[in-house]
């Protein structure tokens, strides 16, 4: 059996934030969400989060995760003290305990699988991840014997000058035999520079102890401040872009674009510079995105073109063209072959196949039939000051420039709205609707002289 414990109790004072460190965001997910996701494939029987600073806020942010247990560390007196809080919850547990840090979000699932496999195959009491760093400052050093088994871990601040020359560092990721660990946890001492209970001290108490050295040291990067958060974001974005380029996506300027973990692409997608994808977004095959687009929690089917536009919580069918400088807001649904042009905003509206709104229009709470042509400057006036109302326009209708459709209103199929009209009543199919004052011309007129 496997239990996973994530250490998430620290204050993270160097972040200079009112938000707990483990709730800082990285590529659209919090640090602790990423850590929990990294071990999900191991199918643990127990998942425990050790909380302390702003414990209730951390709990509430993860309330959607079924089966996640919480243990409170109060006060926070080191990593060993944190794991001591599991002695009660895991009483009688038989199996391994995988200990992760809530501020180490770049671990690959394959790395954790390798650690667990090595631990089980070796019969070790404890196995730990290690990495060799060009600059190991701040990291605990791992010391091994001639057979490669771990003899001790010494925290950086407790190392002698000679010990600090060792570049084999402790990643802070452990797999323990729980029964063996539970026996030695009460023996931990605060006899160190920090005056804390170190989980690392248990390694010297347990035998055998082995380690697995990661090939990519970036995986074990911890986050303590905004600079390290930014560095991890860069590393994660590079990882995500590299994955999708290997799957057939072209980025003209990769470094200028950012993705979320939930972004999905088809093949032969072209992403121009300065494009950003957020949340659960899917981009179909053959799409061309950008330059200069933000797409969030949206689904685009195949062969969609989007240029200099913002799309949030929308769906766009194949063959549509959006932009430049368009905004599709929550609830916008475009069927195949629609065109949304410059400075057009669409919100909570359904546009059937072949609709066109090429210039300077607002379509809110509207249902447009197939082939509707929206003239420049057309507005659906959907709000009466209290409630929103819908506008329905039948297939094949067209509105002239600077038309206002005051909802609730229904226009039948094949209606023509004259330019400059303001309509407040329903219009039957096939009609011409005019709602403007008659033009007045005064000949031989000159302005009054003061």
């Amino acid at each position: 059996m496997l239990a996973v414990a994530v250490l998430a109790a620290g204050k993270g004072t160097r972040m200079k934030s009112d938000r707990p460190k483990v709730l800082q965001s990285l590529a659209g997910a919090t640090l602790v969400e990423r850590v929990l996701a990294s071990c999900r494939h191991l199918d643990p029987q127990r998942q425990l989060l050790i909380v302390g600073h702003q414990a209730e806020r951390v709990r509430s942010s993860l309330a959607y995760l079924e089966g996640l247990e919480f243990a409170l560390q109060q006060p926070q007196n080191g990593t060993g003290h944190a794991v001591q809080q599991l002695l009660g919850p895991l009483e009688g547990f038989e199996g391994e305990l995988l200990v992760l840090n809530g501020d180490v979000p770049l671990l690959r699932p394959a790395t954790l699988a390798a650690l667990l496999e090595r631990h089980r195959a070796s019969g070790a009491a404890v196995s730990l991840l290690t990495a060799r760093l060009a600059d190991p400052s701040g990291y605990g050093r791992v010391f091994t014997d001639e057979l490669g088994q771990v003899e001790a871990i010494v925290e950086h601040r407790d190392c002698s000058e000679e010990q600090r020359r060792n570049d084999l560092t402790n990643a802070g990721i452990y797999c323990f035999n729980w029964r063996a660990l539970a026996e030695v946890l009460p023996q931990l001492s605060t006899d160190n520079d920090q005056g804390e209970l170190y989980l690392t001290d248990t390694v010297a108490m347990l035998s055998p102890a082995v380690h697995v050295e990661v090939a990519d040291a970036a995986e074990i990067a911890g986050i303590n401040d905004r600079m390290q958060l930014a560095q991890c974001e860069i590393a994660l974005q590079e990882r995500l872009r590299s994955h999708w380029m290997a799957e057939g996506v072209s980025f003209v300027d990769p470094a200028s674009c950012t993705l979320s973990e939930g972004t999905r692409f088809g093949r032969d997608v072209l992403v121009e510079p300065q494009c950003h994808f957020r949340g659960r977004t899917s981009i179909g095959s053959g799409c061309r995105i950008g330059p200069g687009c933000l797409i969030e929690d949206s689904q685009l089917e195949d062969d969609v073109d989007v240029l200099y536009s913002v799309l949030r919580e929308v769906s766009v069918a194949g063959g549509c063209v959006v932009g430049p400088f368009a905004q599709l807001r929550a609830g916008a649904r475009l069927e195949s072959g629609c065109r949304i042009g410059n400075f057009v905003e669409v919100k909570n509206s359904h546009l059937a196949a072949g609709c066109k709104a090429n210039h300077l229009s607002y379509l809110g709470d509207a249902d447009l039939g197939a082939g509707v042509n929206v003239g420049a400057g057309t507005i659906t006036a959907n709000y009466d000051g209290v409630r929103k109302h819908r506008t329905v326009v039948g297939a094949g209708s067209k509105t002239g420039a600077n038309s206002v459709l005051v909802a609730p209103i229904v226009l039948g199929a094949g209606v023509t709205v004259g330019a400059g009209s303001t309509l407040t009543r329903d219009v039957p199919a096939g009609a011409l609707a005019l709602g403007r004052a008659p033009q007045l011309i005064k000949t031989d007129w000159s302005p009054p002289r003061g």
Side-chain angles (χ1 to χ4, degrees), residues 271-292:
V271 181
E272 297 276 4
Q274 296 294 338
C275 289
H276 307 280
F277 303 87
R278 302 281 183 265
R280 294 191 175 278
T281 290
S282 63
I283 307 296
S285 296
C287 289
R288 176 172 177 165
I289 311 298

Side-chain angles (χ1 to χ4, degrees), residues 59-90:
R59 284 176 188 262
S60 63
S61 74
L62 299 172
Y64 70 96
L65 293 175
E66 294 184 6
L68 183 61
E69 305 171 53
F70 296 89
L72 182 64
Q73 182 192 13
Q74 202 67 266
Q76 291 86 56
N77 193 31
T79 54
H81 180 247
V83 178
Q84 282 180 347
Q85 311 313 305
L86 303 180
L87 289 169
L90 290 180

Side-chain angles (χ1 to χ4, degrees), residues 4-10 15 19-40 47-65 68-71 99-107 112 173 221-223 229 232 236 261:
V4 173
V6 179
L7 310 186
M15 294 298 297
R19 185 185 308 152
K21 179 169 64 171
V22 296
L23 296 187
Q24 299 295 324
S25 181
L26 191 65
T30 64
L31 303 186
V32 69
E33 285 175 321
R34 292 193 168 280
V35 173
L36 289 167
S38 69
C39 61
R40 192 170 296 143
Q47 291 188 81
L48 304 102
L49 196 70
I50 302 169
V51 294
H53 178 63
Q54 296 195 36
E56 286 307 313
R57 186 172 181 180
V58 177
R59 284 176 188 262
S60 63
S61 74
L62 299 172
Y64 70 96
L65 293 175
L68 183 61
E69 305 171 53
F70 296 89
V99 178
L100 307 175
N101 287 296
D103 60 358
V104 181
L106 297 184
L107 278 169
L112 293 178
I173 310 299
I223 295 176
L229 182 65
C232 280
L236 181 57
E261 200 85 56

Side-chain angles (χ1 to χ4, degrees), residues 307-321:
L307 174 64
Y308 287 116
S309 295
V310 176
L311 286 68
R312 286 191 168 104
E313 300 178 46
V314 305
S315 64
V316 181
C320 290
V321 177

Side-chain angles (χ1 to χ4, degrees), residues 1-14:
M1 294 182 70
L2 175 66
V4 173
V6 179
L7 310 186
K11 293 182 178 180
T13 54
R14 282 182 280 173

